[in-house]
């Protein structure tokens, strides 16, 4: 049979043969010119690879093209970026139109001259007329004018195979797998350039290369530029390189050499992390000092104080096999584990309802939904189908998903990574056969962990565990919310040095002050015990008269209201003696759901709360306050560099008036059930209030229902313009949490700076004073709904400033009422006047102690 090979090309130069996609020139490697080969030259005379006619000869003499009688055109390009030499170092022996034969001399170049000025001497041989072919003897040494290097045509592969088999006796090599660790030296990790260089190295071998970033558990095959960039590597990343194939040893050597040399980047300045000396920890000039007087600072996640013994809990799992016993068996095991976890979560929800904390059960309803998330399960299924065990695949999958979540720009979603890990660990423990019951803790345990999941908080033995400290975690996390509802003091972002203290070390946990005191003296323990006993006695006495109004000893009445989030809270508030609701967080209707609540849902919810409170107890309903750390799944917000200064609070309603109008309409429709007021959050300028009030007035006119409309003073600009706002609002309610952090420019959740966020700072008090005076001048009233309202040291100052309403957390209502009854209004006014003249929050606290 006659061969149908259209063309065979011989080597125009001696050297090492590469496929064209191994070219150091990205244009050639991308086959933008055409298919072909590249040669790392060992000589400097270029010969004709086939018969034909010289169709092109560049003026710089670095490139020449031959056209065959069949119309194929072959371009030979010597070096990379050699056109800039303008012919220096090159000599041509042919002209356009000359007929040439195989092996005829075409060009020559001075390797020393050209090599010194060009990016590379690698020479490309490409078919520019669009044909593709097969490389012969790739990776081998070839001889100019003799070795065939490329074949084009129907039987090109057979031709190449026969030539390779003649040149190299077939040797069956056994596939092996090698694994090596490596610390990445590249200054900005594996970005496009070094990744592309690595791919070119790997293409020279018949082995597969996989890279694992051990710092974040991300893994990929090293044949994809985007996949390697997706490993999220940085200088110093701990990599694990796996090579599998018949030439694994050579491939691994080449890959490691490539990494060692920087993959084309300068890594000479790299210093291994193990040799870097840590900067000595310095004592700050301000704020709490780590370890000073045995105090380790932290951020309050749940309020309270406890005296106990430190107990470290290491959350280690036993080892498990990586390889599975069979795909069907492992998939079945995973399905079983997920189903068992789902049933356990349902039992947990039932338990919480029995313990009267069912209002927070939606956390675990969300966990049930996470079990059905395909992002985790599909990743695990794919790993199982490659032969991995269900335990290994599931563990890798949920850790990767949690890691992806931590890297999100939205801080609240990033904080929810712990929920993903919580769900993942629940399934993993089932697969491992580990009993989910907690380790038996000693009495009076202050539990110390890296972090804690919502499930772990709920299942704690509260007769033994009286407090929690964690090295990580969020002050607004689900775990923090649950700890607060269960009455467990919880401190987050405690320094790692807490690990230096042994189990059983005596500690005092004071989350309200933001510290854990290690090895306290008997005197310190005695003072704390006395404080606890005094607080307990005061609380019991306050409960007995909780229904009595808060009137100072000289006859000045202060309304004590409740901050609530649902009807359960409203019922508790009435029992605790609340005279009003100073803040109904309407977000409870919008959060943790896939779609916006309907009108009917909103109306029923507001009606229930208004009915509970009755006609004589006003209820301030704050309009939807999301954005910042409170996103909604069905309300996509643009990525913002600083979401707390972006589209949040009233700005959501201004930009989405349909949603706001629906909420206002629902409040007005429900208003018949009680005494409703509307309040707008995060108002910073008068035009914002006018815009939303206009909408309210339109709805009031349509419905025939009128309610009072006020704003929260949370932004310094609103306080500074209070005299203008007071002419147009019905009331002010000061949100001291945000007002304080915006005034002091300190994030109240910051691990190092949060202790400095004090609402009794004179700058904040001056803004409160300015607001109250502006309201009084216009015959309006001012309340406070931030946490400062329930601070015992702040109550006399706030009363003295003329604040008419204090809205506090439900459990604090009786105590705050009792505190007001213990005061003299004239004395409070004197304390307030003096507080405004001070310069430090500490001085104010000493004044009102």
């Amino acid at each position: 049979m006659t061969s149908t090979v259209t063309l065979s090309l011989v080597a125009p130069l001696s050297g090492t043969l590469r496929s064209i996609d191994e070219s150091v020139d990205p244009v050639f490697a991308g086959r933008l010119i055409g298919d072909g080969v590249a040669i790392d030259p060992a000589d400097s005379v270029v010969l004709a690879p086939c018969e034909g006619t010289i169709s092109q000869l560049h003026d710089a003499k670095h490139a020449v093209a031959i056209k065959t009688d069949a119309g194929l055109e072959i371009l030979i390009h010597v070096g990379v970026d050699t056109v800039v030499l303008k012919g220096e170092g090159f000599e041509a022996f042919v002209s356009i139109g000359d007929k040439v034969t195989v092996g005829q001399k075409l060009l020559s170049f001075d390797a020393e001259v050209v090599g010194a000025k060009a990016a590379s001497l690698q020479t490309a041989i490409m078919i520019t007329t669009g044909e593709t072919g097969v490389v012969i003897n790739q990776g081998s040494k070839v001889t100019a004018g003799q070795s065939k290097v490329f074949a084009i045509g129907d039987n090109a592969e057979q031709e190449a195979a026969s030539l390779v088999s003649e040149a190299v006796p077939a040797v069956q090599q056994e596939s092996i797998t090698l694994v090596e660790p490596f610390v990445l030296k590249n200054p900005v990790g594996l970005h496009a350039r070094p990744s592309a260089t690595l791919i070119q190295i790997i293409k020279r071998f018949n082995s597969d290369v996989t890279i694992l970033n051990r710092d974040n558990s991300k893994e990929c095959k090293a044949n994809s530029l985007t996949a390697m960039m997706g490993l999220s590597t940085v200088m110093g990343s701990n990599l694990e390189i796996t090579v599998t194939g018949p030439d694994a040893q050579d491939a691994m050597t080449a890959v490691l050499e490539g990494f060692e040399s920087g993959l084309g980047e300068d890594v000479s300045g790299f210093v291994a992390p193990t040799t870097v000396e840590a900067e000595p920890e310095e004592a700050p000039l301000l704020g709490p000092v780590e370890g000073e007087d045995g105090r380790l600072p932290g951020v309050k996640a749940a309020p309270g104080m406890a005296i106990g013994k430190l107990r470290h809990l290491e959350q280690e799992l036993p080892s498990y096999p990586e390889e599975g016993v069979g795909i069907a068996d492992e998939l079945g095991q995973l399905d079983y584990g997920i189903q068992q976890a789902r049933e356990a979560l349902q039992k947990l929800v039932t338990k919480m309802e029995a313990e009267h904390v069912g209002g927070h059960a939606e956390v675990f309803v969300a966990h049930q939904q996470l079990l059905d998330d395909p992002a985790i399960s599909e990743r695990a299924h794919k790993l199982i189908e490659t032969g991995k065990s269900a335990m290994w695949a599931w563990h890798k999958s949920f850790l990767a998903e949690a890691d992806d979540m931590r890297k999100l720009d939205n801080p609240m979603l990033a904080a929810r990574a712990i929920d993903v890990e919580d769900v993942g660990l629940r399934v993993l423990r089932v697969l491992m056969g580990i009993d989910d019951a907690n380790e038996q803790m000693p009495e009076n345990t202050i539990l110390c962990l890296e972090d804690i999941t919502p499930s772990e908080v709920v299942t704690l033995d509260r007769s033994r565990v009286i407090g929690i400290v964690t090295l990580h975690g969020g002050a607004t996390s689900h775990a923090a919310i649950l700890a607060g509802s269960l009455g467990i003091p919880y401190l987050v972002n405690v320094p790692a040095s807490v690990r230096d203290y042994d189990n059983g070390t005596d500690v005092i946990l004071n989350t309200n002050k933001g510290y854990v005191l290690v090895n306290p003296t008997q005197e310190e323990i005695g003072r704390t015990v006395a404080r606890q006993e005094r607080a307990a006695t005061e609380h019991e006495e306050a409960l007995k008269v909780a229904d009595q109004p808060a009137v100072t000893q000289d006859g000045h009445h202060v309304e004590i209201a409740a901050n609530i989030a649902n009807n359960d809270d409203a019922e508790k508030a009435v029992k605790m003696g609340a005279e009003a609701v100073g803040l109904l967080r309407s977000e409870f209707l919008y959060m943790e759901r896939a779609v916006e609540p309907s009108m009917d849902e909103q109306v029923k919810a507001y009606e229930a709360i208004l009915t509970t409170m009755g006609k004589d107890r006003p209820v301030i309903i704050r309009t939807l306050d999301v954005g910042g750390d409170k996103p909604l799944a069905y309300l996509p917000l643009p990525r913002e560099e600083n979401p707390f200064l972006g589209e949040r609070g009233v700005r959501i309603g201004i930009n989405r008036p349909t949603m706001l109008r629906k909420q206002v309409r629902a409040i007005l429709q429900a208003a018949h059930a009680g005494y409703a007021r509307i309040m707008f959050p995060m108002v910073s300028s008068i035009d914002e209030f006018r815009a939303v009030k206009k909408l309210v007035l339109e709805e009031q006119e349509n419905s025939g229902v009128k309610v009072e409309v006020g704003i929260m003073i949370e932004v310094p600009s609103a306080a500074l313009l209070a005299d203008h706002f007071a002419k147009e609002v019905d009331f002010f309610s000061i949100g001291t949490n945000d007002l304080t952090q915006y005034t002091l420019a300190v994030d109240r959740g910051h691990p190092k700076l949060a202790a400095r966020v004090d609402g009794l700072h004179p700058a904040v008090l001056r803004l409160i004073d300015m607001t109250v005076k502006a309201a009084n001048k216009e015959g309006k009233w001012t309340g406070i709904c931030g946490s400062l309202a329930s601070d015992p040291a702040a109550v006399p100052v706030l009363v003295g400033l003329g604040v008419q309403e204090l809205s506090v957390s439900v459990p604090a209502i009786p105590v705050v009422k009792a505190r007001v009854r213990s005061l003299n209004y004239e004395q409070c006014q004197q304390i307030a006047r003096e507080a405004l003249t001070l310069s430090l929050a500490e001085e104010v606290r000493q004044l009102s102690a």
Side-chain angles (χ1 to χ4, degrees):
M1 179 180 291
T2 305
S3 172
T4 57
V5 172
T6 306
L7 181 68
S8 291
L9 300 180
V10 299
L13 286 161
S14 296
T16 303
L17 183 68
R18 313 284 186 201
S19 170
I20 193 62
D21 55 11
E22 293 183 72
S23 171
V24 295
D25 188 314
V27 174
F28 298 162
R31 289 184 167 84
L32 299 181
I33 305 297
D35 198 7
V37 295
I39 295 175
D40 297 329
D43 56 27
S44 56
V45 177
V46 180
L47 307 181
C50 62
E51 291 184 356
T53 304
I54 302 298
S55 57
Q56 295 182 48
L57 179 62
H58 199 280
D59 291 343
K61 302 174 185 176
H62 70 297
V64 62
I66 301 172
K67 180 169 284 189
T68 69
D69 292 342
L72 280 73
E73 189 171 61
I74 299 92
L75 173 66
I76 305 168
H77 189 289
V78 178
V80 177
D81 294 338
T82 46
V83 66
V84 298
L85 299 180
K86 298 181 180 180
E88 182 184 359
F90 286 92
E91 183 178 359
F93 302 104
V94 292
S95 301
I96 295 177
D98 288 353
K99 295 282 186 179
V100 295
T101 58
V102 176
Q104 183 175 333
K105 186 188 296 187
L106 303 178
L107 306 170
S108 69
F109 57 91
D110 187 322
E112 187 173 336
V113 173
V114 176
K117 298 183 178 181
S120 171
L121 287 176
Q122 189 183 73
T123 298
I125 304 95
M126 298 165 288
I127 313 299
T128 62
T129 44
E131 290 77 10
T132 59
V134 178
V135 182
I136 302 170
N137 294 319
Q138 182 177 347
S140 302
K141 300 292 185 182
V142 293
T143 303
Q146 298 179 25
S147 304
K148 290 190 177 182
V149 295
F150 199 72
I152 302 170
D154 294 339
N155 291 341
E157 291 188 9
Q158 294 91 319
E159 172 92 355
S162 64
L163 289 169
V164 171
S165 62
E166 290 173 8
V168 182
V171 177
Q172 187 67 34
Q173 290 182 277
E174 183 179 351
S175 178
I176 61 171
T177 297
L178 301 174
V179 181
E180 292 286 348
F182 191 84
V183 178
L184 190 63
K185 299 181 176 183
N186 297 70
V188 291
L190 281 176
H191 60 96
R193 190 182 306 118
S195 296
T197 303
L198 180 59
I199 289 172
Q200 297 306 318
I201 293 173
I202 293 169
K203 284 182 177 178
R204 290 155 36 193
F205 302 96
N206 295 317
S207 292
D208 292 328
V209 179
T210 301
I211 300 176
L212 168 68
N213 184 349
R214 294 193 293 185
D215 296 332
N216 59 20
S217 300
K218 290 189 175 183
E219 188 174 26
C220 75
K221 284 197 171 183
N223 59 359
S224 167
L225 193 70
T226 55
M228 282 194 283
M229 292 168 65
L231 289 173
S232 302
T233 55
V234 295
M235 185 174 71
S237 288
N238 292 290
L239 307 182
E240 183 177 280
I241 303 161
T242 303
V243 182
T244 302
D247 54 358
Q249 187 62 65
D250 292 340
M252 178 65 85
T253 299
V255 168
L256 290 176
E257 287 176 352
F259 272 116
E260 192 68 43
S261 64
L263 296 170
E265 293 188 325
D266 181 10
V267 294
S268 59
F270 175 77
V271 180
T274 53
T275 64
V276 176
E277 291 188 11
E279 288 287 331
E281 194 72 30
E282 292 188 89
L285 298 177
L286 283 175
V289 177
E290 180 181 329
E292 183 180 48
D293 299 327
R295 296 189 180 196
L296 300 176
V299 175
K300 179 177 74 173
M305 188 164 49
I307 304 171
K309 294 185 180 295
L310 199 63
R311 177 75 176 187
H312 299 287
L313 185 61
E314 300 292 342
Q315 298 162 310
E316 291 186 2
L317 293 168
S319 60
Y320 52 77
E322 178 177 341
E323 302 303 320
V325 297
I327 294 175
D329 288 341
E330 299 297 338
L331 288 173
Q333 281 292 312
L334 181 57
D335 289 343
Y336 170 79
I338 291 174
Q339 182 57 34
Q340 289 294 109
R342 189 179 287 111
E343 293 174 6
L345 283 168
Q346 186 55 51
K347 291 178 182 176
L348 189 56
V349 170
T350 304
K351 177 178 181 287
M352 292 176 69
E353 290 172 347
E355 294 179 351
H356 307 292
V357 288
H360 297 294
E362 71 272 6
V363 173
F364 299 103
V365 173
H367 283 196
Q368 290 174 316
Q369 295 170 348
L370 280 173
L371 284 173
D372 299 322
D373 189 342
I376 304 174
S377 56
E378 287 179 5
R379 193 183 318 215
H381 283 178
K382 288 178 181 178
L383 290 171
I384 289 173
E385 288 166 2
T386 65
K388 304 300 183 184
S389 71
M391 289 177 279
W392 191 91
W394 179 257
H395 199 184
K396 286 281 185 183
S397 298
F398 79 73
L399 287 180
E401 182 70 12
D403 186 66
D404 289 344
M405 192 166 282
R406 283 193 178 91
K407 293 173 182 172
L408 294 174
D409 293 321
N410 187 297
M412 184 177 181
L413 291 179
R416 294 300 177 251
I418 192 68
D419 290 289
V420 174
E421 291 185 356
D422 192 351
V423 173
L425 286 169
R426 182 177 292 278
V427 175
L428 189 59
R429 289 190 183 104
V430 174
L431 295 174
M432 291 180 163
I434 299 174
D435 186 358
D436 203 32
N438 283 284
E439 174 187 345
Q440 183 71 20
M441 297 290 172
E443 291 184 354
N444 298 321
T445 288
I446 306 292
L447 200 59
C448 179
L449 315 91
E450 287 286 328
D451 203 347
I452 193 166
T453 67
S455 292
E456 289 167 332
V457 171
V458 172
T459 54
L460 287 173
D461 182 353
R462 296 195 296 282
S463 67
R464 294 176 175 273
V465 178
I466 59 173
I468 308 167
V469 296
T470 59
L471 278 63
H472 306 292
T476 59
S477 67
H478 280 148
I481 293 168
L482 287 169
S485 68
L486 296 171
I488 307 173
Y490 178 21
L491 196 67
V492 299
N493 292 316
V494 175
S497 57
V498 71
R499 291 291 199 193
D500 297 337
Y501 297 95
D502 295 333
N503 284 335
T505 300
D506 290 329
V507 294
I508 294 175
L509 175 62
N510 189 334
T511 67
N512 298 324
K513 299 290 185 180
Y515 68 81
V516 56
L517 177 61
V518 183
N519 291 319
T521 65
Q522 285 303 311
E523 183 181 356
E524 289 168 329
I525 292 175
R527 282 201 302 267
T528 304
V529 169
R531 196 178 300 125
Q532 287 178 311
E533 291 174 348
R534 186 167 60 251
T537 300
E538 288 175 354
H539 191 261
E540 287 178 12
E541 293 299 320
L543 279 174
K544 294 176 183 178
V545 290
D547 59 333
Q548 296 181 13
V551 180
T552 63
Q553 294 174 356
D554 51 349
H556 178 76
H557 176 251
V558 179
E559 186 176 74
I560 306 302
N563 295 334
I564 67 171
N566 49 49
N567 194 42
D568 287 345
D569 288 349
E571 292 174 351
K572 294 173 185 174
V574 171
K575 292 177 182 177
M576 288 290 185
E579 300 172 81
V581 168
L583 171 62
L584 168 58
R585 300 181 180 93
S586 66
E587 297 80 58
F588 80 98
L589 283 166
Y590 296 82
M591 304 291 283
E592 305 288 351
R593 56 186 296 153
V595 295
E596 179 187 353
S598 67
M599 273 283 296
D600 285 345
E601 285 181 278
Q602 294 189 55
V603 171
K604 288 178 182 176
Y606 298 141
E607 281 179 339
I609 293 170
L610 288 166
T611 300
T612 297
M613 297 305 299
K615 298 281 187 179
D616 297 327
R617 296 187 185 93
V619 177
I620 296 178
I621 303 172
R622 182 178 68 185
T623 60
L624 180 62
D625 185 13
V626 295
D629 63 340
K630 292 179 287 188
L632 297 178
Y634 52 88
L635 185 65
L637 297 174
R639 180 183 180 276
E640 298 176 318
E641 288 298 324
N642 191 334
F644 286 92
L645 298 180
E647 191 176 358
R648 63 170 301 202
V650 73
R651 296 166 189 171
I652 297 290
I654 289 172
N655 294 337
R656 293 165 176 79
T658 300
M659 179 179 282
L660 177 61
R661 190 177 295 276
K662 185 187 294 184
Q663 183 175 25
V664 170
R665 194 172 292 170
I667 294 171
L668 296 176
Q669 192 170 324
H672 68 90
Y675 186 168
R677 291 166 169 162
I678 294 176
M679 178 168 68
F680 291 101
M682 294 298 297
V683 175
S684 60
S685 64
I686 198 77
D687 59 339
E688 290 177 337
F689 177 67
R690 286 172 180 166
V692 292
K693 186 175 182 181
K694 180 174 181 291
L695 183 149
V696 174
L697 292 174
E698 291 170 355
E699 291 302 318
Q700 288 187 153
E701 185 175 351
N702 293 335
S703 65
V705 178
K706 294 187 180 298
V707 299
E708 297 171 33
V709 181
I711 64 170
M712 288 187 75
I713 301 291
E714 303 176 88
V715 181
S717 64
L720 293 168
L721 292 173
D723 55 337
H724 292 276
F725 278 108
K727 292 180 173 66
E728 303 189 31
V729 304
D730 293 316
F731 63 89
F732 291 133
S733 185
I734 303 174
T736 54
N737 297 351
D738 272 327
L739 181 62
T740 302
Q741 74 169 348
Y742 285 131
T743 301
L744 303 182
V746 178
D747 180 355
R748 63 179 184 265
H750 194 285
K752 289 187 177 180
L753 302 177
R756 300 187 61 195
V757 180
D758 192 334
L760 283 180
H761 192 289
V764 179
L765 295 181
R766 291 186 184 191
L767 293 176
I768 294 173
D769 180 56
M770 188 180 298
T771 302
V772 172
K773 287 177 178 175
N776 290 342
K777 184 178 180 181
E778 299 296 330
K780 310 296 172 61
W781 62 271
T782 303
I784 286 187
C785 59
S787 60
L788 191 66
S790 56
D791 184 337
V795 172
V797 179
L798 299 177
V799 170
L801 287 173
V803 172
Q804 290 114 312
E805 179 216 63
L806 298 176
S807 190
V808 301
S809 63
V810 173
I813 293 170
V815 174
V816 174
K817 293 180 79 173
R819 176 71 167 140
V820 172
R821 286 194 290 265
S822 71
L823 301 174
N824 178 285
Y825 185 48
E826 287 189 9
Q827 290 177 355
C828 289
Q829 289 178 307
Q830 176 58 37
I831 290 172
R833 283 194 293 269
E834 189 171 346
L836 293 173
T837 67
L838 301 176
S839 59
L840 295 173
E842 291 86 349
E843 295 172 342
V844 176
R845 290 195 173 276
Q846 291 170 7
L847 175 68
S848 60

